[in-house]
Amino acid sequence: MSATNRAHVLLWTDAATAYLDAIQAAGLADRVAVDTLPRKEKPSPEQLARTEVLMAGAVPPGLLPAMPRLRWAQAMSAGVDNWLALPDLPPALTLTCARGTHTESMPENIIGALFHVAKPYARVAEYQKQSKWVHTVAQPLTGKTLGILGLGAIGQEVARIAVALGMHVIGTKRRPTRIPNVAEVLAPSQTDEVLAQSDFVLLLLPATPETENFIDAKRLARMKPTAWLLNFGRGQIVDDGDLMAATKDGKIAGALLDVFRQEPLPSEHPFWTAPGIVVLPHIGGPHPQRDRFVSRLFVENLKRFLDGEPLKEVVDRTAGY
């Protein structure tokens, strides 16, 4: 295939090697012409003019309309609220996300968070700094109920591990169906039932207009006063003020947050010092070999694109993910 007939691909990432290697290994190198560009640099007019396929973490307003040949954009993350918030996202552009590429790292980190809030290891580490022996009883996870709001691929893998630990798992799914390891799969309209039963509530919902401030004072009041809230979805899901009031007043036992409305979380944000709130610096999804997982999906989609087949993980703009 001549260079002029190849599909022009722009990899706008600081870690292009994994994607170039994956393209080569898949036997697609002679079917594409690839440009690579570090994130700190902007595409040249020539690159804008010829790019048909774009892979990027995020793009600024004004960029996509300046790419007249662009037909498909692959986001490097599962969440695409930053893409959908663009005022000039072309209506006909096919947008795919990296849904499913967090299924190794994120469930492990969520289980780690459960242990962190149930077990006294953090407190014990602080006591050691003071050379203090303080007898502490760890709370068991066995027999506790984990409620998962958003039973997608991540939630289902968390459920599998949680059941192996002796936990009872319930949750919500946009289209409820039977799911292995989940005792009850309810519709989002039945969220209050999940909140009332759960000892730990895990948020894995996407950021959409429907989920903005989804967890507010009313829903927090449905939770047990001994229950913990864990947010690994999106910061916009939780009403910050209502959450701080709930933890301060003992309406819930506490909250562990890995995602925020603004990241990095500003040093002056009250979450840092609010009683009952644990701040994590968005460690849920990252993985040392994350680009290897994303490149696998990207190359599968690239082959489908070149062969004129439907792409995987296409974003539903109406649903918001």
Side-chain angles (χ1 to χ4, degrees), residues 232-309:
F232 281 80
R234 285 291 181 268
Q236 296 91 327
I237 299 169
V238 177
D239 184 300
D240 293 357
D242 286 358
L243 177 61
M244 286 187 287
T247 57
K248 180 182 178 182
D249 297 341
K251 298 292 179 61
I252 65 173
L256 183 144
L257 310 175
D258 189 51
V259 288
F260 306 90
R261 293 174 183 273
Q262 182 181 350
E263 297 185 9
L265 188 68
S267 59
E268 66 275 10
H269 196 287
F271 273 160
W272 288 109
T273 56
I277 290 182
V278 179
V279 171
L280 299 183
H282 204 140
I283 65 171
H287 187 285
Q289 286 84 45
R290 170 148 171 72
D291 287 302
R292 177 164 53 89
F293 301 125
V294 180
S295 66
R296 189 182 304 157
L297 170 63
F298 175 70
V299 165
E300 181 175 352
N301 262 345
L302 182 59
K303 186 177 188 304
R304 288 167 174 259
F305 175 82
L306 296 171
D307 293 342
E309 298 176 356

Side-chain angles (χ1 to χ4, degrees), residues 49-63:
R50 65 177 174 249
T51 297
E52 298 168 70
V53 175
L54 171 68
M55 191 200 69
V59 297
L63 183 95

Side-chain angles (χ1 to χ4, degrees), residues 147-269:
I148 303 176
L149 304 186
L151 280 164
I154 302 298
Q156 291 177 41
E157 179 62 9
V158 171
R160 183 188 69 79
I161 302 171
V163 165
L165 294 172
M167 300 187 77
H168 177 74
V169 181
I170 60 177
T172 61
K173 197 174 190 298
R174 189 179 172 205
R175 297 183 181 89
T177 55
R178 289 182 61 85
I179 296 175
N181 305 302
V182 182
E184 290 183 89
V185 182
L186 304 174
S189 60
Q190 297 171 285
T191 293
D192 285 357
E193 295 180 36
V194 177
L195 296 177
Q197 296 181 51
S198 300
D199 299 296
F200 303 93
V201 174
L202 172 61
L203 304 180
L204 292 173
L205 299 170
T208 69
E210 289 73 28
T211 60
E212 178 79 22
N213 294 324
F214 188 77
I215 300 298
D216 56 8
K218 183 179 178 181
R219 285 201 166 99
L220 288 164
R222 299 288 185 184
M223 293 175 60
K224 300 177 182 180
T226 55
W228 275 81
L229 182 74
L230 291 79
N231 189 7
F232 281 80
R234 285 291 181 268
Q236 296 91 327
I237 299 169
V238 177
D239 184 300
D240 293 357
D242 286 358
L243 177 61
M244 286 187 287
T247 57
K248 180 182 178 182
D249 297 341
K251 298 292 179 61
I252 65 173
L256 183 144
L257 310 175
D258 189 51
V259 288
F260 306 90
R261 293 174 183 273
Q262 182 181 350
E263 297 185 9
L265 188 68
S267 59
E268 66 275 10
H269 196 287

Side-chain angles (χ1 to χ4, degrees), residues 2-175:
S2 68
T4 55
N5 292 331
R6 295 179 182 180
H8 285 269
V9 178
L10 175 59
L11 303 176
W12 197 9
T13 173
D14 295 329
T17 301
Y19 301 90
L20 294 171
D21 290 346
I23 290 171
Q24 186 72 39
L28 301 178
D30 62 345
R31 301 179 66 185
V32 293
V34 182
D35 288 335
T36 62
L37 191 68
R39 287 296 306 167
K40 65 180 180 181
E41 297 183 21
K42 301 297 182 186
S44 68
E46 293 77 19
Q47 288 171 327
L48 293 173
R50 65 177 174 249
T51 297
E52 298 168 70
V53 175
L54 171 68
M55 191 200 69
V59 297
L63 183 95
L64 298 178
M67 307 176 88
R69 300 186 64 197
L70 184 66
R71 295 165 53 198
W72 161 45
Q74 172 74 56
M76 297 177 68
S77 60
V80 290
D81 38 296
N82 55 342
W83 290 79
L84 297 180
L86 290 169
D88 51 12
L89 182 65
L93 177 66
T94 298
L95 176 64
T96 57
C97 66
R99 188 183 300 117
T101 59
H102 295 87
T103 49
E104 182 174 305
S105 59
M106 204 160 171
E108 286 188 9
N109 290 329
I110 290 170
I111 295 298
L114 284 171
F115 275 100
H116 180 82
V117 300
K119 308 299 181 181
Y121 298 121
R123 291 200 307 277
V124 169
E126 290 303 311
Y127 290 142
Q128 181 176 349
K129 294 176 183 178
Q130 306 168 46
S131 302
K132 292 175 64 175
W133 180 289
V134 179
H135 181 67
T136 308
V137 179
Q139 295 299 313
L141 292 176
T142 302
K144 298 292 176 66
T145 295
L146 171 63
I148 303 176
L149 304 186
L151 280 164
I154 302 298
Q156 291 177 41
E157 179 62 9
V158 171
R160 183 188 69 79
I161 302 171
V163 165
L165 294 172
M167 300 187 77
H168 177 74
V169 181
I170 60 177
T172 61
K173 197 174 190 298
R174 189 179 172 205
R175 297 183 181 89

